[in-house]
Amino acid sequence: VQGVSEAQVARVYARALFDAARDAGRIETVRRELDGFVAALAASASLRHVLADPQVGDDAKHRVLVELTHGADPLVASALVLLQKKGRLAVVAEVRDELEALAAAEAQVVKVEVTSAIALDADAEERLAAKVAAATGRRVKLTKRVDAGVLGGLVVRVGDVIVDGSLRSRLAQLRQRLVTAEVRGDAK
């Protein structure tokens, strides 16, 4: 179909897979196994090459997928084979991301990514998660990153909203105010 983006295609496949997994009561299994396939694909250049190479026939690609998914949840195996047959296997990571978002919404979980200069202790993590849970009314899945570049404070991402309370950000704002004051002649 002309004019359909990869993101739209991924959403359609993810929604179909999610609905089937929910009906079967296997959302977590499907989510985990699809994530495992995407990780294996990312880790293996030879696998990516075989599955993307137009010189490798569809039958051979199908056999590779069947072998890779042997013992996997039938929903995941079928979805991967269908993606390959339709020439859409390149969007499998996007399908996984969409499936994750659907599963999180279903579970009323909000993903929160926090970046700090040093690792947060358990008490600070709990306080932050509790504040976000109270503000959103949802359970919180906290992902932590340590980046010395923030210098101090936190950068918190809740969904698409970023709250930058880092020292680096505050210093940049102060620097901008000083530059602006010098240009206007306020700084003396």
Side-chain angles (χ1 to χ4, degrees), residues 10-24 26-27 30-31 34 73-80 83 95-96 99 102:
R11 273 194 291 279
V12 168
Y13 279 95
R15 172 50 75 180
L17 181 57
F18 177 78
D19 289 345
R22 183 180 53 208
D23 292 347
R26 299 196 310 262
I27 292 173
V30 167
R31 188 204 59 72
L34 185 60
D73 188 285
L75 290 172
V76 174
S78 297
L80 292 171
L83 284 167
V95 170
R96 185 262 331 259
L99 184 75
L102 289 167

Side-chain angles (χ1 to χ4, degrees), residues 1-18 34 79-80 82-99 102:
V1 178
Q2 293 285 359
V4 177
S5 73
E6 287 186 351
Q8 290 169 318
V9 169
R11 273 194 291 279
V12 168
Y13 279 95
R15 172 50 75 180
L17 181 57
F18 177 78
L34 185 60
L80 292 171
L82 182 61
L83 284 167
Q84 183 269 320
K85 277 186 181 177
K86 298 290 187 179
R88 300 292 195 172
L89 198 57
V91 299
V92 70
E94 290 82 0
V95 170
R96 185 262 331 259
D97 293 346
E98 289 291 332
L99 184 75
L102 289 167

Side-chain angles (χ1 to χ4, degrees), residues 26-125:
R26 299 196 310 262
I27 292 173
E28 184 56 30
T29 300
V30 167
R31 188 204 59 72
R32 185 179 59 249
E33 289 186 10
L34 185 60
D35 187 53
F37 177 82
V38 170
L41 194 59
S44 174
S46 59
L47 178 58
R48 286 192 311 275
H49 176 73
V50 165
L51 293 175
D53 189 344
Q55 305 241 343
V56 176
D58 286 340
D59 288 340
K61 290 177 185 178
H62 177 79
R63 285 192 302 274
V64 167
L65 278 176
V66 167
E67 185 63 34
L68 282 173
T69 58
H70 179 74
D73 188 285
L75 290 172
V76 174
S78 297
L80 292 171
V81 167
L82 182 61
L83 284 167
Q84 183 269 320
K85 277 186 181 177
K86 298 290 187 179
R88 300 292 195 172
L89 198 57
V91 299
V92 70
E94 290 82 0
V95 170
R96 185 262 331 259
D97 293 346
E98 289 291 332
L99 184 75
E100 292 276 345
L102 289 167
E106 178 84 1
Q108 290 294 300
V109 172
V110 64
K111 290 185 178 181
V112 177
E113 180 181 297
V114 61
T115 304
S116 56
I118 59 171
L120 297 177
D121 62 28
D123 186 47
E125 287 176 27

